[in-house]
């Protein structure tokens, strides 16, 4: 058995961070989110249970015509709510996810948010799987139960090496639709800074699965600082551009483009019927309020 002290320093750091995330998010789930998750996602379908003779007032659509023909009298199918659910974390690990202007990177924040859903699923006896993508599907971990499985998923989300640098949401969503046949809760964690137009695939995925978008942002992306001449570097395309941030027109153009991009994203989510949670790497902002608001809103809808 290898000596843990022989591990590369970055691996030991990843394992320490995994442990920290486990302790924090497990505690949050037990104290706050476990019950909210349970009431928000009560199973994704109905399972066949039994047959019984038709009674006046029963739904005609539930009649089992084969059994009815065999016995000469109408029988209906009884269904029970399917309790076990599959949660699939679909995580953007492109180069832009490594960005963090203050303390935490977007990938670390996505891991913490994903861990809340994973430990909530664990507590609810649901299965959890993982898809990681950049400009290609980097890895797929089929859904399973168990604490060890959840920890493996958290470790991969946080520190698994990746090959691609760009972001291809279209390919990731197409993979999910092919790989996961049963209706699942799909948690899509990304900054959504993608070159492709993924609106169509988003709508198709939402027709098959319950899709929740978790948008990860960083304060430095919202506006250009007043800092004179800067060279901006695109982590995904490696393109560099020189800008003079002392010019109000430059800062205003950036803010306008950012606003248009946000507005289109919100329209795409709304048209697809997808809930969105926005989280920021700003250390002054906790992820708790946004997650609480989401769970409570979903819980209210499920009881409506």
């Amino acid at each position: 058995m290898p000596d843990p002290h022989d591990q590369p320093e970055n691996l030991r750091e990843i394992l320490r961070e995994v442990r920290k995330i486990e302790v924090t998010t497990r505690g949050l789930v037990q104290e706050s989110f476990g019950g909210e998750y349970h009431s928000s996602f009560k199973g994704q379908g109905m399972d066949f249970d039994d047959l019984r003779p038709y009674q006046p007032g029963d739904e005609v659509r539930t009649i089992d015509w084969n059994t009815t023909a065999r016995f000469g009298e109408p029988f209906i199918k009884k269904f029970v709510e399917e309790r076990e659910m599959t949660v699939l974390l679909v995580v953007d690990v492109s180069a832009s996810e490594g960005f963090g202007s203050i303390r935490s990177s977007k990938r670390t924040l996505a891991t913490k948010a994903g861990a809340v859903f994973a430990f909530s699923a664990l507590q609810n006896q649901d299965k959890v799987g993982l898809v990681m993508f950049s400009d290609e599907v980097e890895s797929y971990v089929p859904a399973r139960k168990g604490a060890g499985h959840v920890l493996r998923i958290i470790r991969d989300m946080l520190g698994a090496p990746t090959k691609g640098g760009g972001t291809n949401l279209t390919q990731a969503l197409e993979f999910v639709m092919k790989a996961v046949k049963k209706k699942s809760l799909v948690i899509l964690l990304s900054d959504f800074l993608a070159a492709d137009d993924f609106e169509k695939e988003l709508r198709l995925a939402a027709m098959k699965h319950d899709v929740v978008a978790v948008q990860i942002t960083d304060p430095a992306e919202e506006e250009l600082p007043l800092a004179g001449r800067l060279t901006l570097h695109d982590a995904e395309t490696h393109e560099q551009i020189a800008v003079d941030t002392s010019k109000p027109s430059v800062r205003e153009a950036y803010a306008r483009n950012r606003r248009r991009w946000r507005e289109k994203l919100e329209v795409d989510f709304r048209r697809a019927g997808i809930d969105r949670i926005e989280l920021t790497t700003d250390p002054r902002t906790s992820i708790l309020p946004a997650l609480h608001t989401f769970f409570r809103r979903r819980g209210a809808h499920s009881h409506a």
Side-chain angles (χ1 to χ4, degrees):
M1 183 174 180
D3 185 340
H5 295 292
D6 291 337
Q7 296 172 337
E9 182 57 33
N10 65 334
L11 178 56
R12 290 205 295 272
E13 286 176 7
I14 288 169
L15 294 175
R16 280 198 296 269
E17 189 65 28
V18 167
R19 176 60 180 161
K20 192 192 303 181
I21 290 172
E22 177 198 5
V23 170
T24 304
T25 53
R26 228 188 237 274
L28 288 176
V29 166
Q30 290 169 353
E31 293 169 14
S32 303
F33 294 119
E36 291 178 357
Y37 169 94
H38 180 77
S39 63
S40 300
F41 308 106
K42 287 190 164 184
Q44 297 294 305
M46 304 295 285
D47 268 349
F48 172 72
D49 181 44
D50 201 359
L51 291 166
R52 66 166 174 80
Y54 176 86
Q55 296 173 358
D58 286 336
E59 281 277 354
V60 175
R61 290 176 298 178
T62 62
I63 293 177
D64 184 311
W65 294 107
N66 289 333
T67 306
T68 296
R70 195 179 313 131
F71 287 94
E73 61 176 299
F75 277 78
I76 67 164
K77 294 177 180 179
K78 287 172 58 182
F79 293 89
V80 295
E81 185 181 55
E82 185 183 356
R83 294 304 310 149
E84 183 180 273
M85 186 168 63
T86 297
V87 178
L88 185 67
L89 302 175
V90 182
V91 185
D92 180 354
V93 290
S94 62
S96 66
E97 293 299 313
F99 179 73
S101 64
I102 305 175
R103 199 180 306 162
S104 173
S105 71
K106 289 190 283 186
R107 182 166 177 177
T108 299
L109 182 61
T111 301
K112 290 176 181 176
V116 169
F117 282 97
F119 281 119
S120 295
L122 178 67
Q123 184 169 301
N124 205 50
Q125 297 296 307
D126 291 332
K127 296 189 290 185
V128 187
L130 173 68
V131 173
M132 297 201 305
F133 72 95
S134 56
D135 49 18
E136 61 184 289
V137 174
E138 297 275 354
S139 64
Y140 172 46
V141 180
R144 287 176 47 199
K145 294 182 180 181
H149 180 70
V150 167
L151 287 174
R152 180 260 171 104
I153 282 176
I154 294 172
R155 185 194 67 208
D156 285 359
M157 281 194 292
L158 186 66
T162 57
K163 299 186 289 291
T167 305
N168 191 323
L169 276 153
T170 297
Q171 192 177 93
L173 291 166
E174 287 176 344
F175 177 85
V176 168
M177 286 185 282
K178 289 177 184 175
V180 184
K181 303 301 182 186
K182 177 183 170 184
K183 182 176 180 180
S184 303
L185 173 60
V186 174
I187 310 297
L188 184 55
L189 299 115
S190 175
D191 56 16
F192 297 99
L193 295 169
D196 59 311
D197 186 354
F198 50 88
E199 180 189 2
K200 176 187 171 185
E201 286 71 26
L202 204 59
R203 282 190 284 108
L204 291 173
M207 289 170 65
K208 181 176 181 180
H209 300 292
D210 184 358
V211 181
V212 175
V214 181
Q215 185 179 0
I216 309 296
T217 65
D218 186 273
E221 296 170 332
E222 298 306 313
E223 59 183 23
L224 285 177
L226 180 57
R229 293 185 178 276
L230 292 177
T231 300
L232 303 181
H233 175 78
D234 188 316
E236 298 192 359
T237 65
H238 303 296
E239 181 183 355
Q240 292 187 337
I241 182 171
V243 296
D244 186 354
T245 62
S246 64
K247 294 181 177 178
S249 59
V250 171
R251 299 197 306 277
E252 288 165 8
Y254 180 90
R256 188 165 55 250
N257 289 335
R258 179 78 178 179
R259 187 168 59 251
R260 286 174 180 165
W261 168 78
R262 272 186 169 278
E263 288 169 355
K264 183 186 184 306
L265 199 57
E266 289 171 10
V267 168
D268 289 349
F269 290 144
R270 188 166 60 249
R271 284 179 176 167
I274 288 174
D275 278 324
R276 179 178 69 100
I277 308 169
E278 183 171 347
L279 303 177
T280 175
T281 59
D282 189 335
R284 298 167 296 182
T285 304
S286 169
I287 68 172
L288 299 185
L291 290 174
H292 274 306
T293 299
F294 166 74
F295 280 127
R296 286 169 184 162
R297 185 173 67 243
R298 287 297 295 255
H301 287 170
S302 68
H303 289 112

